[in-house]
Amino acid sequence: MSTNLDRFAQQARAERGRFFDRDRAITVTHAPGWVDLFGGIVADAGMLSLLWPTGDGVMVALQPDPEPIIRFRVGQRTDSIPCTALFLPAGPREYADAAGEIDLHQPPRSPWWGPALMAWVALMREEFARFGGGARVMLQWTDPPGLAVSVIAAIAQALAKAYGIHVAPRELAIACAEGLARLERRSAGAELIGTLTTVCAPANELVMVNPYTAQIGGSAHLPPSSAIWVIRASDEPRQPLARVRMALDHIERLLVQYDHEPALTKLRLSDFIRHARDRLPADPTGERQHTMPLAALAAFALAEQQRSRLALALLRAAASRAQRDDDLRLVGELLTQSHWEQAALGLTDPHADALVEQLASLPSIFGARQPLAATHATLVVFGRSDAEADVQRVATAYQASAGLAVKVLAHKVQN
């Protein structure tokens, strides 16, 4: 990644006297993509998630500009927005007002636009930052999973460096998550696990994220000879996240009714099975907002938390060569187990199901699972580092049979 970032920095410097002012400093930052191996879909319930910051991502070159206009250069196109759309002399706009202005000025085919601009608003509203003018920004990316998170994280880090805003990485990640959640008008669970991973995770390490405390709770390198790939089919995976969130809220209300406190994140899976499972409806209630089997969803959420912890422990233990293959295959089994439990709840994409079936027969693949839809990824695949040709072959064959574009977006091999 450093080679790509160095090349991008050279491109930015070459724009002095053209897009950038010749005499003012330029700040260059990078934010990786991210994908969840376990837990992401139930992050709103506070469940632990195990995440991977992919090596690709978003690169930003930012130069403060006294003119009150924010200009973006993406490829050969330049777009702009007046600073007054985001903030006024008296201070930042309310989130809803800023989101409306961002939508009003959005150019066509620009999914990066809202997350990029919300970085200004989030830093002003959450960290009391102030900006005396506009900026000139170059953006470049390698189609990472979780693009929106990577964009806002890269811009926010560039703004903090360029303007000398003293903010800890964790606080910056929380501000970014709040900005994205307000932009997309939903709760910040998925955004928070993504921003914490993108901003705070050590390079090339799997990280455990606790969305309840907004903390990284441990990390591990991928063992030698293993790798992770991300596959995307052109049809974006669709998970009924609003329905999942409402169902998780309903579970919490029912548990409060019996135990007098929000209890799901505090329960062990064994205690839930023994004491609490029978208190939740085993079948959908029939109400429009509660069409999921609550007992099964709660068990899945707790199992995801347990799988996250088990997988992290196994990956750490796999440093011992004697049992490495067995440990990695067990992590893959947990990954595939998670996928099919999601499928039983109606939370997977048909393309993901078909790809998991095809990958399961390959000895070089340990396991695969559909990650959180917010990453815009269809599948995360875990296997031997020499499995890339197998992953590419399955993707190519599926593209031909399904009649849609299938890409292997990212892979990381640990030597």
Side-chain angles (χ1 to χ4, degrees):
M1 184 63 219
S2 59
T3 302
N4 291 338
L5 190 60
D6 290 343
R7 189 179 301 119
F8 175 73
Q10 291 174 4
Q11 293 171 1
R13 287 193 292 270
E15 287 292 323
R16 285 189 177 279
R18 293 186 288 186
F19 179 68
F20 291 121
D21 182 86
R22 187 176 299 279
D23 300 321
R24 290 193 296 273
I26 299 171
T27 299
V28 176
T29 57
H30 162 254
W34 66 281
V35 68
D36 58 302
L37 271 73
F38 297 97
I41 196 169
V42 290
D44 278 329
M47 295 295 140
L48 297 175
S49 297
L50 189 62
L51 299 112
W52 172 248
T54 63
D56 53 14
V58 173
M59 294 173 288
V60 166
L62 184 146
Q63 183 185 68
D65 190 339
E67 189 177 5
I69 296 174
I70 299 170
R71 293 181 174 88
F72 290 98
R73 170 70 62 83
V74 178
Q76 299 302 310
R77 194 175 88 187
T78 300
D79 297 293
S80 64
I81 186 172
C83 290
T84 52
L86 307 180
F87 55 92
L88 301 168
R93 288 182 179 271
E94 296 291 334
Y95 276 117
D97 293 342
E101 290 288 331
I102 289 169
D103 288 345
L104 186 64
H105 290 84
Q106 181 163 358
R109 298 182 301 280
S110 54
W112 51 269
W113 178 259
L117 289 167
M118 195 53 80
W120 271 266
V121 183
L123 285 173
M124 286 187 288
R125 296 209 64 84
E126 304 303 321
E127 296 298 328
F128 307 103
R130 293 295 181 264
F131 304 101
R136 294 173 178 265
V137 185
M138 276 182 60
L139 267 175
Q140 185 175 306
W141 61 83
T142 52
D143 201 17
L147 176 64
V149 164
S150 300
V151 167
I152 194 171
I155 294 282
Q157 290 177 91
L159 287 170
K161 290 181 181 179
Y163 286 91
I165 301 166
H166 300 292
V167 54
R170 175 179 178 271
E171 303 308 316
L172 187 141
I174 292 171
C176 288
E178 184 65 22
L180 271 184
R182 296 300 190 100
L183 179 69
E184 298 171 3
R185 297 174 178 83
R186 63 189 191 193
S187 62
E191 286 78 12
L192 181 58
I193 62 172
T195 56
L196 284 167
T197 304
T198 300
V199 174
C200 304
N204 300 330
E205 290 190 29
L206 289 153
V207 290
M208 182 82 77
V209 174
N210 185 330
Y212 188 75
T213 61
Q215 299 279 1
I216 289 181
S219 64
H221 286 286
L222 275 187
S225 76
S226 65
I228 290 172
W229 291 266
V230 177
I231 297 177
R232 179 185 293 160
S234 64
D235 288 359
E236 181 183 319
R238 301 292 180 184
Q239 292 165 324
L241 291 182
R243 189 157 58 93
V244 172
R245 290 185 178 103
M246 284 191 287
L248 289 169
D249 287 345
H250 192 45
I251 289 168
E252 292 289 352
R253 287 196 296 272
L254 289 173
L255 292 175
V256 168
Q257 176 182 331
Y258 290 109
D259 297 328
H260 310 293
E261 63 175 344
L264 189 59
T265 59
K266 299 178 182 179
L267 283 174
R268 292 179 299 183
L269 180 58
S270 56
D271 290 337
F272 171 78
I273 292 169
R274 183 179 179 189
H275 298 297
R277 182 171 57 184
D278 291 343
R279 299 174 180 175
L280 299 177
D283 299 311
T285 64
E287 301 173 32
R288 262 175 61 186
Q289 68 269 36
H290 301 309
T291 56
M292 301 192 70
L294 300 185
L297 178 61
F300 171 75
L302 290 167
E304 279 295 275
Q305 180 161 259
Q306 186 176 84
R307 279 188 284 260
S308 294
R309 296 172 64 188
L310 286 170
L312 186 63
L314 287 164
L315 289 166
R316 287 171 169 168
S320 165
R321 290 185 179 275
Q323 273 193 246
R324 179 178 297 155
D325 194 61
D326 286 346
D327 289 341
L328 297 183
R329 290 199 176 278
L330 185 51
V331 173
E333 167 60 24
L334 293 172
L335 201 65
T336 306
Q337 181 187 105
S338 173
H339 178 84
W340 292 119
E341 285 190 20
Q342 283 190 92
L345 289 164
L347 300 178
T348 55
D349 180 272
H351 300 306
D353 293 346
L355 286 164
V356 171
E357 290 276 16
Q358 294 180 28
L359 290 163
S361 62
L362 301 175
S364 62
I365 300 301
F366 301 140
R369 168 186 174 270
Q370 179 175 323
L372 186 65
T375 64
H376 293 191
T378 303
L379 211 65
V380 58
V381 183
F382 181 46
R384 295 199 314 248
S385 58
D386 61 2
E388 183 172 356
D390 288 338
V391 176
Q392 293 281 6
R393 185 165 54 252
V394 168
T396 300
Y398 192 74
Q399 175 172 290
S401 64
L404 50 83
V406 180
K407 292 177 61 180
V408 178
L409 291 175
H411 71 276
K412 181 68 185 179
V413 179
Q414 297 287 334
N415 296 316

